[in-house]
Amino acid sequence: MRSRMAGITEAPGETHQISETTHKAEEPESDFDPKTMRNSKPGIKRLILTLSVLFSFLLGFPFLWKSVEIYRAPLPFREIDMLSARIESNPLLFPCHFQAIFVGFDSKPSMTPDALGSSILSQMTKLTSKPPQCGTCSTNFSIAVTVDSSSGCIQTRNLEYTSSWRCGLMGTIDFSDDEGVDKALADSLGGKVYSVVVVNGDREEVRAVVGKYRHAWVVGRVSEAEAVARAAEIFVKVFMNGGKEEGLIHGEFMPVGADGKIVLSFNLLNSDPQDWVYDWDFQSIDETLLAPVIEALESVANISVESQVLYHTPKSSFSHWDDEQESYIFSAKDLPFFVNSNEWHLDTSIAAGGRSKILQFVVYIPSARECPLLLQLPNGEISKTNGFISPMWGGVLVWNPKDCLKDSESQHPLWRTISQQDLQEVFEVVMGQFRQLFGLKSNHVYVGASGTSSLLASERGFTEWELDVLSRQHTCFNLHSCATTLGSLSRLVQSLPRMIIMDEIGKQVMYSLEAANLARSNASLGLYDASAVSSRQARSLAEDAFFHPSIMSVSYYSFEHCFAVYSPFFLPVSMHVLLAALREWRRYKQENKKYLAWKTKVKKDS
Amino acid sequence: MRFKMYGSFRCRMVLLLVFLLLDCNFSNCLADTSSEATMHTNNWAVLVCTSRFWFNYRHMANTLSLYRTVKRLGIPDERIILMLADDMACNARNKYPAQVFNNENHKLNLYGDNVEVDYRGYEVTVENFLRVLTGRHENAVPRSKRLLSDEGSHILLYMTGHGGDEFLKFQDSEELQSHDLADAVKQMKEKRRFKELLIMVDTCQAATLFSQLQSPGVLAIGSSMKGENSYSHHLDSDVGVSVVDRFTFYTLGFFERLNMYNNDSLMSLFSSYNPSMLMSTAYYRTDLYQRHLEEVPVTNFFGSVMEMIHTDSAYSLLSRKESFRVEIKMPADKSVPDKKRLMDKPSHLDQIRELNIEDQHGALKRTWSTIQKEMEKVEDVDAFVSYGLVLIVPLLTVSMWLKW
């Protein structure tokens, strides 16, 4: 009690000391200097008080930090970088299996399956580009050869694939009917492996046909070398590369939207309804002709169809009368100005989402003043189809009414429907344009180094091997696009450390990476369609994550801003608290030093 | 604990930096080669007027004049994004209601017909502008308000208003900084939203606005340099305000004698600006642009070029020349081989779909979500709240009783 009192008020202690010295005069005159000594332990109540205030201040700091923390969903940066690196370093290659069957080479006993196999392999490796392009077959493809002669079939000893070829089949087939041959081969070969059947026959003229499924045949008098060359060329140029020189489809021939959807918008344009007004039975076309095509392309894109009929839609370029053709001619240099975007309100789709791709197919019916309207090509010929496309936009076809007959007596415009025959012809041209938009050719011929092959047309618009090529190329493109998008996203997110990243973005990135890995594993297994589907999903999820509307760099404040907001609240107060604590601590130390000095002095004295 | 996590994050960042550096090299290489390989397939125009109020009539007239020019040369409305405050034509101070002129001879009414404004009034904000450029819109934004360009697009970006050193003023309330614009362009380039971009700025100290750009394939021209002002051309004493700016006036003069078939080069446009007539120096930067300006026709940016390819032949879907009515009866047996293609698909798709639906919920989260679901089921919210309030009273009494 006494020491405490001494700690609080020094004056009574002092007087006590003085009274002590006055009363006990015989005590040695201790040079007690109140400035350097004190005889009571200094109290710590004040120190405890200020330190507790400081401590509670410090205790609140983590809570403050947590409350201004920016929520960032953790993004798997490492996996994104690994995916990008993998896709850059190993271009996506698919395993392909080939099969060659030689029939009727009885007189050449040197043609053993193994020898033929190795010569085909060497030819094919000569034809493939090195390094292999993304989306084509990998370099270690397997070739199985069967030689069917009168003495029986000999096959290569290929353990992984046993040919289902029926010996002696070729004798029963009539080669004049392509469709029949195709069907027969499909039944016997199965259709999973790319096959070429070379039949050495009597006919002088060699004919090569590529069927609707995954096989082709060559008929005629062929030597062994020519047969091998033809087979190798069909394998590489047609089945692997899809009939194109480089085997790679450029980005402008991949009209699939970022969300994996395409909207086909069919427009019938009546340029001048005063002359005639045409209508079409689109429903029947949609059900019979378009439905199989859409189903065939299901793995590549999710397609929906819309149609409309427009009136008063003149074109914006000019045409001139040509006496020789007895029609109005517009030439190839007018094509860029044909589409009159002021009057043609084509983009009225409500169903198409923001990231879908819309392809416009326009059937243009000219007015009586310009009928018939024909397209003249740069080489002077008149176009057979009267149509043209613009990549990533769509196609235009000019359809002239029959004989340009105009009923001049009646005042009212003529209301007519396009006949089924004409509509079918129109849609065949549209199909050709649709194939062109995907990078494939609309004609039925492949011209190669060793000869011309004719390509059979499929009712679904695309043959099986063409769909394989599209699946492979689109898988490659989608995975590449997915990797670059995720890479851009991760760079962007890391460059803005104070931006909120919502959970949804994290989830989308995760699913996108999983889909991309699934696509790669499907590709390595050789499942073209499944890999196309999962790569499409990967790309659309990556695009959703990147284009998430919450990622806006202008909306988030910098660290300086945060500091400027909170410092007027805490800085002055914290300064005072800190100073007070320091002051109390210093005072306590001083007092303690004084007390210790007195104690040593007392000890010395006693 | 928090700081320790931050530390490990830093270590990971360093590792990733090495990865990223390697990646950057790859992607830069790719970007350079791919931009030359892609075809120019379409043209877009983004025209922005960043001022409002009557005394800024000339900025709106600038933008509308350029809109008219670009449409005349062939870019359709669906590929033009027009952002205007649009408060001139029907302004109470406009002596000629519903008409906007850019010359005192009043020969041309810019607001005549077919003007489609995509962002008007208070929708012209920095945020919307950057959203248009980067493409990050809400799901509900219609297609006409989006910049749907792709890697083959040439984009013309024209901005006019009041600006200054490294900024552009938007609607008198906010600013667009030059680094924000550079960042948006960088993101556009990364996402391959354009092949080439031409930026035209008609403000005071315009050249500073694109000083921070780094992305390749960008060409920029401004009406004045740092420290210079851009001036209006003339005052229309009838309307009462200046009706056009000098830079835009001379630009329009250049384009009036062109039609869509011309191929004057960009160099002729850029060299037609006379500093003494403009009373400022029109500065352009070409360091990010690979092609020579003499070879680039102005219609590459101001007009619309669509690459056209002729269709050689029709693709006959039906092999036999019969009417397709007969075919309708046949699809039954045709459909069987077709379905085989999709056989391998379903299981893998389902795997991903399942992952989408069920997340890895912890037990706590699950109970919380069930609580939330129960809360959502409560329909009469007011009754629920009043029950809660009434419940407070017995709770209080219980606690008071416990205290004593």
Side-chain angles (χ1 to χ4, degrees):
Chain A
M1 190 59 185
R2 203 169 170 219
S3 56
R4 246 184 267 149
M5 276 180 64
I8 294 168
T9 49
E10 287 162 286
E14 245 180 333
T15 49
H16 194 87
Q17 298 284 7
I18 295 171
S19 60
E20 253 191 20
T21 47
T22 49
H23 280 245
K24 297 173 187 171
E26 66 269 15
E27 238 186 58
E29 177 72 27
S30 50
D31 42 335
F32 186 82
D33 181 11
K35 286 209 179 52
T36 55
M37 290 183 224
R38 53 181 288 147
N39 67 346
S40 54
K41 204 165 159 43
I44 53 171
K45 202 148 97 168
R46 280 170 66 147
L47 184 65
I48 297 283
L49 215 62
T50 45
L51 278 181
S52 63
V53 172
L54 179 69
F55 184 65
S56 62
F57 223 73
L58 290 175
L59 201 67
F61 186 69
F63 291 101
L64 174 70
W65 185 263
K66 184 106 174 69
S67 70
V68 298
E69 178 198 53
I70 292 178
Y71 180 71
R72 280 166 79 92
L75 289 186
F77 297 117
R78 190 177 205 97
E79 279 85 5
I80 294 174
D81 295 323
M82 270 166 40
L83 179 72
S84 304
R86 243 185 301 146
I87 292 198
E88 295 300 323
S89 56
N90 313 343
L92 194 66
L93 295 172
F94 293 77
C96 303
H97 303 288
F98 300 100
Q99 186 190 357
I101 295 151
F102 293 87
V103 179
F105 287 90
D106 291 346
S107 51
K108 306 211 175 87
S110 63
M111 290 174 64
T112 58
D114 294 324
L116 285 170
S118 54
S119 60
I120 293 181
L121 187 63
S122 64
Q123 279 272 3
M124 283 174 73
T125 37
K126 254 192 281 181
L127 287 171
T128 51
S129 63
K130 291 162 204 28
Q133 303 260 11
C134 176
T136 54
C137 294
S138 61
T139 43
N140 54 346
F141 30 72
S142 61
I143 306 178
V145 179
T146 306
V147 177
D148 183 354
S149 58
S150 47
S151 51
C153 291
I154 325 167
Q155 294 184 357
T156 49
R157 282 180 295 280
N158 206 337
L159 295 167
E160 56 202 44
Y161 177 74
T162 50
S163 171
S164 62
W165 178 252
R166 293 205 311 263
C167 292
L169 178 70
M170 282 285 113
T172 56
I173 292 182
D174 169 26
F175 283 101
S176 56
D177 175 21
D178 285 337
E179 294 284 322
V181 178
D182 202 22
K183 196 86 181 40
L185 281 177
D187 290 335
S188 84
L189 284 172
K192 285 287 173 197
V193 169
Y194 296 116
S195 322
V196 170
V197 179
V198 184
V199 182
N200 190 8
D202 302 318
R203 292 174 43 186
E204 192 56 54
E205 169 209 349
V206 179
R207 200 161 157 266
V209 183
V210 180
K212 292 197 287 266
Y213 304 97
R214 293 192 181 94
H215 50 258
W217 62 94
V218 181
V219 186
R221 195 171 309 171
V222 284
S223 62
E224 177 188 340
E226 200 187 326
V228 162
R230 277 265 182 162
E233 190 192 46
I234 291 180
F235 280 144
V236 173
K237 294 289 174 190
V238 177
F239 289 143
M240 264 172 64
N241 292 352
K244 287 184 297 296
E245 263 320 301
E246 339 159 304
L248 185 70
I249 304 183
H250 286 287
E252 60 252 12
F253 292 106
M254 296 214 193
V256 183
D259 55 357
K261 296 201 181 101
I262 305 180
V263 176
L264 300 180
S265 168
F266 290 91
N267 311 282
L268 180 66
L269 262 48
N270 290 293
S271 144
D272 191 351
Q274 290 287 43
D275 300 329
W276 40 61
V277 178
Y278 275 91
D279 193 8
W280 59 5
D281 182 14
F282 190 77
Q283 189 78 5
S284 62
I285 290 285
D286 190 16
E287 284 163 7
T288 53
L289 290 180
L290 284 179
V293 176
I294 290 172
E295 202 198 314
L297 281 179
E298 221 169 9
S299 59
V300 168
N302 184 354
I303 302 180
S304 58
V305 174
E306 295 178 349
S307 76
Q308 59 177 349
V309 181
L310 297 178
Y311 310 94
H312 292 284
T313 51
K315 69 182 192 337
S316 49
S317 69
F318 301 107
S319 60
H320 59 272
W321 173 257
D322 186 307
D323 283 322
E324 200 184 305
Q325 309 281 351
E326 288 188 350
S327 52
Y328 290 89
I329 301 287
F330 68 107
S331 62
K333 64 174 173 50
D334 289 322
L335 288 183
F337 312 106
F338 192 92
V339 177
N340 181 0
S341 312
N342 274 330
E343 314 267 347
W344 297 14
H345 297 289
L346 300 173
D347 196 6
T348 52
S349 167
I350 340 165
R355 288 203 272 280
S356 311
K357 185 87 200 141
I358 295 190
L359 290 176
Q360 315 278 1
F361 290 97
V362 173
V363 178
Y364 178 78
I365 302 180
S367 61
R369 288 180 300 279
E370 282 191 314
C371 177
L373 189 61
L374 298 176
L375 170 62
Q376 186 174 45
L377 299 171
N379 59 5
E381 284 175 16
I382 294 294
S383 158
K384 290 194 290 286
T385 55
N386 248 4
F388 55 93
I389 63 149
S390 177
M392 298 296 262
W393 181 82
V396 179
L397 160 67
V398 178
W399 183 77
N400 297 304
K402 198 173 171 67
D403 298 335
C404 296
L405 282 173
K406 183 181 164 173
D407 195 1
S408 44
E409 288 98 40
S410 80
Q411 296 295 83
H412 304 287
L414 281 162
W415 287 82
R416 294 190 198 140
T417 313
I418 300 183
S419 68
Q420 297 286 24
Q421 282 316 94
D422 292 331
L423 203 54
Q424 195 173 324
E425 282 166 16
V426 162
F427 270 87
E428 286 180 358
V429 179
V430 166
M431 262 323 296
Q433 289 180 336
F434 189 52
R435 283 167 56 91
Q436 268 187 316
L437 287 168
F438 272 91
L440 301 170
K441 285 207 273 284
S442 62
N443 56 12
H444 302 290
V445 183
Y446 170 69
V447 180
S450 50
T452 326
S453 326
S454 84
L455 312 170
L456 285 188
S458 157
E459 304 85 34
R460 294 165 12 146
F462 297 88
T463 59
E464 296 273 335
W465 55 270
E466 281 172 345
L467 287 172
D468 284 346
V469 170
L470 283 180
S471 299
R472 291 198 294 259
Q473 292 286 331
H474 280 256
T475 304
C476 171
F477 177 75
N478 288 343
L479 278 181
H480 192 80
S481 162
C482 169
T484 39
T485 306
L486 287 178
S488 309
L489 177 66
S490 81
R491 277 193 290 278
L492 175 65
V493 159
Q494 282 165 2
S495 69
L496 296 170
R498 306 221 13 114
M499 182 173 78
I500 297 178
I501 300 174
M502 310 184 72
D503 268 336
E504 205 181 344
I505 301 177
K507 261 191 270 179
Q508 281 165 343
V509 170
M510 201 173 71
Y511 292 143
S512 174
L513 285 170
E514 277 165 12
N517 287 330
L518 185 64
R520 283 189 75 91
S521 62
N522 278 339
S524 62
L525 291 173
L527 304 168
Y528 307 137
D529 291 340
S531 65
V533 168
S534 31
S535 71
R536 191 158 45 100
Q537 252 190 339
R539 179 179 171 219
S540 99
L541 284 165
E543 299 266 337
D544 282 342
F546 188 86
F547 285 113
H548 199 270
S550 69
I551 304 179
M552 279 295 292
S553 57
V554 76
S555 314
Y556 299 104
Y557 50 87
S558 56
F559 177 69
E560 289 87 0
H561 188 125
C562 181
F563 183 72
V565 166
Y566 285 104
S567 56
F569 294 111
F570 297 115
L571 219 54
V573 179
S574 64
M575 201 169 63
H576 284 293
V577 168
L578 211 63
L579 282 175
L582 281 174
R583 204 175 39 224
E584 281 308 310
W585 178 250
R586 207 169 40 166
R587 190 202 141 264
Y588 177 74
K589 285 191 87 72
Q590 263 179 349
E591 294 299 315
N592 212 18
K593 207 163 57 168
K594 281 195 218 173
Y595 179 64
L596 285 173
W598 181 77
K599 278 194 81 154
T600 47
K601 197 176 126 9
V602 161
K603 220 175 278 179
K604 224 180 358 175
D605 289 341
S606 61
Chain B
M1 184 175 72
R2 181 155 298 284
F3 299 101
K4 245 191 243 168
M5 275 166 66
Y6 191 74
S8 73
F9 184 65
R10 268 232 187 100
C11 281
R12 278 199 290 167
M13 283 276 284
V14 171
L15 273 168
L16 284 171
L17 209 65
V18 179
F19 271 120
L20 282 173
L21 276 170
L22 294 168
D23 261 331
C24 277
N25 288 334
F26 274 125
S27 54
N28 274 338
C29 291
L30 262 180
D32 285 341
T33 50
S34 61
S35 66
E36 277 149 35
T38 50
M39 231 162 59
H40 165 207
T41 46
N42 52 37
N43 276 39
W44 282 82
V46 180
L47 309 171
V48 185
C49 165
T50 60
S51 316
R52 63 185 303 119
F53 307 129
W54 177 247
F55 50 83
N56 291 321
Y57 188 99
R58 61 190 184 282
H59 296 142
M60 199 169 122
N62 287 349
T63 317
L64 282 173
S65 319
L66 219 73
Y67 173 74
R68 183 186 156 270
T69 302
V70 145
K71 269 182 82 164
R72 192 172 58 85
L73 291 177
I75 304 187
D77 265 321
E78 63 207 25
R79 290 203 287 276
I80 302 179
I81 306 268
L82 182 60
M83 301 176 78
L84 289 180
D86 209 9
D87 55 351
M88 304 297 158
C90 303
N91 198 309
R93 294 158 84 167
N94 192 357
K95 193 174 150 192
Y96 298 89
Q99 293 171 76
V100 175
F101 305 110
N102 69 348
N103 200 311
E104 59 178 350
N105 55 22
H106 293 191
K107 249 196 280 192
L108 190 60
N109 174 15
L110 298 170
Y111 213 68
D113 49 2
N114 241 345
V115 172
E116 185 185 297
V117 183
D118 297 304
Y119 287 86
R120 60 198 309 263
Y122 290 104
E123 290 173 354
V124 183
T125 58
V126 173
E127 189 191 329
N128 277 347
F129 174 65
L130 291 177
R131 279 188 193 280
V132 163
L133 286 186
T134 54
R136 295 206 174 89
H137 298 277
E138 301 286 330
N139 283 344
V141 170
R143 290 173 66 90
S144 59
K145 279 185 164 181
R146 293 183 190 233
L147 180 63
L148 300 169
S149 56
D150 52 37
E151 54 195 7
S153 305
H154 283 190
I155 303 183
L156 166 71
L157 173 61
Y158 175 80
M159 293 187 282
T160 180
H162 289 289
D165 194 5
E166 310 260 343
F167 71 91
L168 176 60
K169 192 165 74 160
F170 261 71
Q171 305 247 322
D172 223 8
S173 60
E174 36 179 20
E175 291 168 3
L176 172 73
Q177 308 265 4
S178 59
H179 63 81
D180 278 331
L181 181 65
D183 192 53
V185 172
K186 186 177 84 156
Q187 284 185 47
M188 283 174 84
K189 190 69 196 176
E190 275 208 25
K191 204 64 200 63
R192 303 223 190 115
R193 277 165 73 75
F194 65 90
K195 182 168 186 280
E196 288 174 15
L197 174 66
L198 172 62
I199 302 181
M200 269 186 126
V201 189
D202 188 359
T203 67
C204 301
Q205 304 190 53
T208 56
L209 191 66
F210 46 79
S211 58
Q212 308 261 356
L213 289 173
Q214 304 281 345
S215 323
V218 179
L219 182 61
I221 178 165
S223 60
S224 52
M225 297 186 65
K226 183 175 155 99
E228 289 178 355
N229 288 336
S230 295
Y231 295 95
S232 64
H233 190 259
H234 61 267
L235 171 77
D236 183 346
S237 42
D238 206 7
V239 173
V241 280
S242 306
V243 286
V244 70
D245 277 337
R246 286 180 179 252
F247 179 75
T248 309
F249 181 80
Y250 290 112
T251 310
L252 294 173
F254 180 87
F255 280 106
E256 278 306 305
R257 53 183 182 75
L258 287 186
N259 59 22
M260 54 170 106
Y261 292 89
N262 280 72
N263 55 358
D264 288 36
S265 72
L266 270 182
M267 196 65 211
S268 57
L269 169 65
F270 287 176
S271 46
S272 69
Y273 296 122
N274 187 346
S276 57
M277 302 291 277
L278 282 181
M279 290 161 68
S280 60
T281 321
Y283 170 74
Y284 58 95
R285 68 180 285 193
T286 55
D287 56 323
L288 298 169
Y289 193 66
Q290 284 93 7
R291 293 160 69 189
H292 293 291
L293 290 181
E294 293 88 13
E295 299 159 12
V296 181
V298 283
T299 47
N300 256 5
F301 289 102
F302 289 86
S304 175
V305 172
M306 284 170 67
E307 187 76 27
M308 298 293 187
I309 301 174
H310 173 245
T311 308
D312 306 320
S313 67
Y315 192 79
S316 51
L317 291 172
L318 302 166
S319 48
R320 300 183 190 92
K321 295 289 171 203
E322 292 168 9
S323 92
F324 61 83
R325 281 185 202 278
V326 181
E327 292 293 332
I328 295 171
K329 297 187 194 118
M330 297 227 274
D333 43 345
K334 276 202 178 43
S335 60
V336 172
D338 302 344
K339 291 273 188 285
K340 277 196 209 148
R341 278 194 82 88
L342 310 171
M343 212 168 55
D344 298 311
K345 182 182 65 148
S347 58
H348 299 284
L349 254 190
D350 286 341
Q351 226 179 5
I352 292 193
R353 222 176 277 141
E354 275 162 30
L355 285 166
N356 275 337
I357 294 168
E358 53 167 85
D359 286 339
Q360 276 83 14
H361 280 311
L364 196 65
K365 275 193 183 164
R366 220 175 282 148
T367 47
W368 178 245
S369 55
T370 44
I371 291 173
Q372 272 185 323
K373 273 185 214 139
E374 292 300 311
M375 298 284 282
E376 272 159 34
K377 279 188 204 150
V378 172
E379 279 150 17
D380 193 0
V381 184
D382 292 329
F384 191 70
V385 169
S386 44
Y387 284 146
L389 284 172
V390 161
L391 209 60
I392 290 179
V393 175
L395 274 176
L396 263 176
T397 45
V398 163
S399 59
M400 300 267 275
W401 177 74
L402 279 173
K403 196 177 163 188
W404 286 317

